[in-house]
Amino acid sequence: MGLAIGIDLGTSNSAAAVYRKGKIESIPVDGKKILPSVISYKDNQNVLVGNSAKSRLYIDPLNSIASSKRYMGDQGKIYSVYGKTITPVDAAREILSKIKIEAGRYLGEEITDAVITIPAYFTSEQREATRKAGELAGLNVLRLLPEPTAAAIAYGLDKERNQTIMVYDLGGGTFDVSILKVESNSFKVIAVDGDSLLGGDDFDDKIVQYLLNKINAVSGMRNGQEGSISLQRLKEAAEEAKKELSESDITDISIPDIFNTHLDEELSIDTFNKMIEPLLNRTIEKIQDVLRSADLTKRDISRVILVGGSSRMKAVQEIVTNEIKKPFIADNVDEIVAHGAAIMAANLSAPDIDSAPIPIEVEDVTAHSFGVQMLSNGTKYIEHLIRKNTKLPAMGSTIGFTIQPYQKAVNLQVFRTESMVPDQRDKLGQMVLPVRPQETPVALAAIFELDEDGILVLSSSELPENAPIINEYFETELVNLPMLRNMIDSRQIQIQSVEIDTNK
Ligand code: AMP
């Protein structure tokens, strides 16, 4: 295997790095260490990626796509550009292709192997979509590595051993908080929580709303292309103002000729902090949840690491200091995740002394619980087969029974939820399994497997009549997994289908 790179595919910006000759290097793309995760179509053939696309966001917003990572795995999200439909996976593919080409040029050899980072809170569909984007870009995705783990690897390798680290990762579109145990060279995630729809874009939107309210008071708004260009200018100014407020206590927002007016507004840090308080409170709730899941108190946390561009905000640093302890902030906060991914990539691709850093072990957990819908005494409920914060890879199974004589098929419905009450919004998909029609109930096994990347596979099988299951008809009970495995291995049962339809 040749060199393998680490890629941080971010909502706002992406970065790449490589570990070679005992050192980590950021890989420049278009001469810069950070590549804006923006694509823009000049016509229906030519697509620009990165800085040049970002500047076109301003002049041609309708044919430019930013923050598409927020919609990864969302089958309903489609962008329409010059009569072509573009999915979030297509957008990610363009960004990854650009990185692959530039990395090859910089390193002097074609790059095919990569570790790509993902928010720890990404669902299995979001992970699958990321892997697919990598493959479409011609990359062999060695691993999908959670961003907090990547950050901990990059920070942790040269630090003291045996620590419990909290990683607070607030990026452009997602928020993750994870707790890791670092012992010697092993990095074990023990609990994760987060919100895949909370990030810097939301802070910008608060400022945009504030400005729109001011503008509305003096002028009518315009729609169409002109309106969306104005809105884009407003967004850019809002983001600039937000960044300014990470350095100073007051900022001036001045935009000539916008929505029929001239905008000149002062925004103080106090006003801004008030606006974003509800958003930051959501991150505090998640901090408390993750401590509870890990069965720890704040006193057990040896170090808090802040990751993601939005963690530069003063209010973030203040709430983390109040809630846990004074956080550690790296100078190269934008590159740290890619650096961790590069160390992992080197370990996976060439675990020999010359090209790999010290060997590391990584353990991850699932951020969500998965279950099937069951029926007992006429009541529908969710039986969880894999629980949130279970170590990956994970496996879980159950036995169920047909509920009517001569029933021909069973509809297995898969849910991702923490609740026992089925809610159609949490349904991931279903699988219809044909069964032998008979008068007495037929037993079925359902098995969930989550791989190291957190991708879910559902298998199911009808069990033979002589299956050694002691159970009451119409009731369900967790079957012991080794027994089920034995039955599969000794071909007592045949798995009939392994597909879970995650499009629902
Ligand atoms: P990431 O996804 O980690 O690249 O983070 C990008 C987000 O960080 C965007 O929403 C940026 O507006 C935000 N960001 C970058 N620099 C700053 C800063 N100095 N202060 C506040 N937010 C920032």
Side-chain angles (χ1 to χ4, degrees):
M1 236 192 255
L3 282 172
I5 62 170
I7 301 175
D8 169 10
L9 181 64
T11 308
S12 316
N13 297 299
S14 297
V18 66
Y19 184 95
R20 60 174 178 174
K21 301 191 191 111
K23 277 205 330 242
I24 298 188
E25 287 168 61
S26 289
I27 297 172
V29 180
D30 290 339
K32 300 222 166 77
K33 289 177 176 170
I34 300 296
L35 175 77
S37 304
V38 183
I39 65 170
S40 180
Y41 288 81
K42 285 177 81 174
D43 47 52
N44 69 356
Q45 295 286 318
N46 294 304
V47 58
L48 298 171
V49 181
N51 274 305
S52 50
K54 193 171 181 184
S55 38
R56 282 179 54 80
L57 256 185
Y58 193 58
I59 48 169
D60 190 9
L62 298 181
N63 294 311
S64 307
I65 301 173
S67 298
S68 57
K69 180 176 167 182
R70 296 191 95 164
Y71 304 102
M72 274 306 243
D74 177 349
Q75 308 285 336
K77 181 69 186 178
I78 284 171
Y79 302 92
S80 174
V81 182
Y82 287 110
K84 283 208 293 201
T85 51
I86 310 288
T87 65
V89 169
D90 296 329
R93 181 200 63 206
E94 296 295 352
I95 295 162
L96 291 169
S97 296
K98 168 97 177 173
I99 290 174
K100 178 183 185 312
I101 292 166
E102 293 270 324
R105 195 172 295 153
Y106 176 74
L107 297 169
E109 63 179 82
E110 195 193 347
I111 297 299
T112 47
D113 296 319
V115 167
I116 303 178
T117 60
I118 41 159
Y121 208 63
F122 252 20
T123 63
S124 47
E125 299 97 298
Q126 290 169 314
R127 288 165 191 246
E128 267 182 86
T130 306
R131 179 177 278 284
K132 189 165 167 215
E135 284 161 4
L136 289 171
L139 290 167
N140 171 28
V141 183
L142 298 173
R143 180 109 182 217
L144 296 174
L145 185 68
E147 288 156 14
T149 309
I153 290 171
Y155 280 112
L157 271 184
D158 56 349
K159 302 288 179 335
E160 76 218 56
R161 302 286 165 233
N162 302 345
Q163 308 180 60
T164 304
I165 296 180
M166 176 180 278
V167 182
Y168 178 105
D169 181 357
L170 188 59
T174 56
F175 169 65
D176 271 11
V177 57
S178 310
I179 297 180
L180 290 103
K181 281 225 188 286
V182 182
E183 279 166 14
S184 187
N185 300 328
S186 112
F187 296 80
K188 292 186 184 163
V189 180
I190 53 172
V192 297
D193 223 309
D195 188 333
S196 56
L197 292 175
L198 176 64
D201 292 348
D202 301 293
F203 303 110
D204 302 346
D205 284 348
K206 288 278 178 198
I207 301 180
V208 168
Q209 275 312 321
Y210 171 82
L211 297 175
L212 282 176
N213 286 342
K214 300 269 175 195
I215 293 171
N216 238 346
V218 290
S219 91
M221 304 276 286
R222 288 181 219 167
N223 297 322
Q225 168 89 350
E226 198 181 341
S228 68
I229 289 179
S230 297
L231 207 55
Q232 190 54 42
R233 287 172 68 203
L234 215 51
K235 274 192 186 140
E236 291 211 356
E239 188 182 2
E240 273 317 302
K242 173 186 77 176
K243 289 184 182 169
E244 182 85 21
L245 289 175
S246 296
E247 307 298 327
S248 47
D249 288 344
I250 195 146
T251 181
D252 189 39
I253 305 168
S254 176
I255 318 176
D257 191 21
I258 185 160
F259 291 120
N260 294 334
T261 185
H262 173 80
L263 183 74
D264 199 358
E265 274 297 321
E266 256 186 10
L267 180 63
S268 74
I269 185 86
D270 291 342
T271 312
F272 176 59
N273 284 350
K274 270 221 174 61
M275 282 186 224
I276 63 168
E277 198 180 317
L279 297 172
L280 290 184
N281 283 345
R282 278 162 62 189
T283 74
I284 296 176
E285 279 168 28
K286 296 293 179 190
I287 288 183
Q288 288 158 350
D289 288 348
V290 81
L291 279 171
R292 217 172 297 127
S293 307
D295 212 7
L296 297 174
T297 69
K298 66 177 187 180
R299 261 167 253 109
D300 298 313
I301 303 295
S302 12
R303 182 189 282 263
V304 184
I305 299 172
L306 295 190
V307 193
S310 301
S311 63
R312 291 201 182 94
M313 291 194 303
K314 287 182 190 171
V316 165
Q317 296 170 20
E318 278 159 22
I319 59 152
V320 170
T321 306
N322 290 341
E323 282 301 308
I324 310 289
K325 59 163 52 176
K326 199 166 170 21
F328 179 81
I329 310 158
D331 298 335
N332 55 349
V333 70
D334 295 320
E335 296 157 69
I336 206 82
V337 168
H339 286 187
I343 295 170
M344 189 77 213
N347 267 282
L348 290 173
S349 70
D352 58 76
I353 303 297
D354 282 349
S355 44
I358 52 170
I360 47 174
E361 265 174 52
V362 170
E363 242 179 59
D364 193 10
V365 296
T366 161
H368 310 272
S369 300
F370 297 90
V372 281
Q373 180 173 291
M374 293 291 217
L375 187 67
S376 177
N377 299 325
T379 307
K380 288 177 183 164
Y381 68 99
I382 303 289
E383 180 171 333
H384 288 109
L385 304 197
I386 295 178
R387 286 272 178 197
K388 176 173 170 165
N389 291 325
T390 306
K391 185 182 142 201
L392 291 177
M395 201 181 186
S397 71
T398 190
I399 297 284
F401 294 87
T402 51
I403 53 171
Q404 277 170 5
Y406 303 105
Q407 189 173 327
K408 291 199 185 82
V410 170
N411 187 3
L412 280 151
Q413 304 199 47
V414 179
F415 286 72
R416 177 183 52 233
T417 177
E418 306 310 316
S419 165
M420 277 187 73
V421 182
D423 177 338
Q424 286 306 306
R425 283 172 301 185
D426 299 326
K427 187 170 148 186
L428 280 182
Q430 60 190 8
M431 186 172 87
V432 177
L433 185 77
V435 291
R436 60 178 185 274
Q438 64 178 40
E439 192 176 359
T440 52
V442 176
L444 306 144
I447 307 167
F448 283 10
E449 286 170 280
L450 264 180
D451 70 8
E452 286 197 327
D453 292 333
I455 291 171
L456 178 70
V457 175
L458 160 66
S459 309
S460 187
S461 172
E462 172 186 329
L463 298 180
E465 256 169 315
N466 59 357
I469 299 156
I470 305 148
N471 214 329
E472 273 183 45
Y473 288 156
F474 306 115
E475 293 288 337
T476 61
E477 202 169 89
L478 267 181
V479 72
N480 98 25
L481 207 51
M483 183 188 90
L484 202 57
R485 262 278 159 236
N486 273 340
M487 289 171 71
I488 296 170
D489 293 345
S490 62
R491 298 187 191 283
Q492 273 180 276
I493 63 170
Q494 291 265 320
I495 299 286
Q496 298 193 4
S497 171
V498 289
E499 279 291 304
I500 167 172
D501 178 2
T502 54
N503 292 336
K504 297 274 153 49

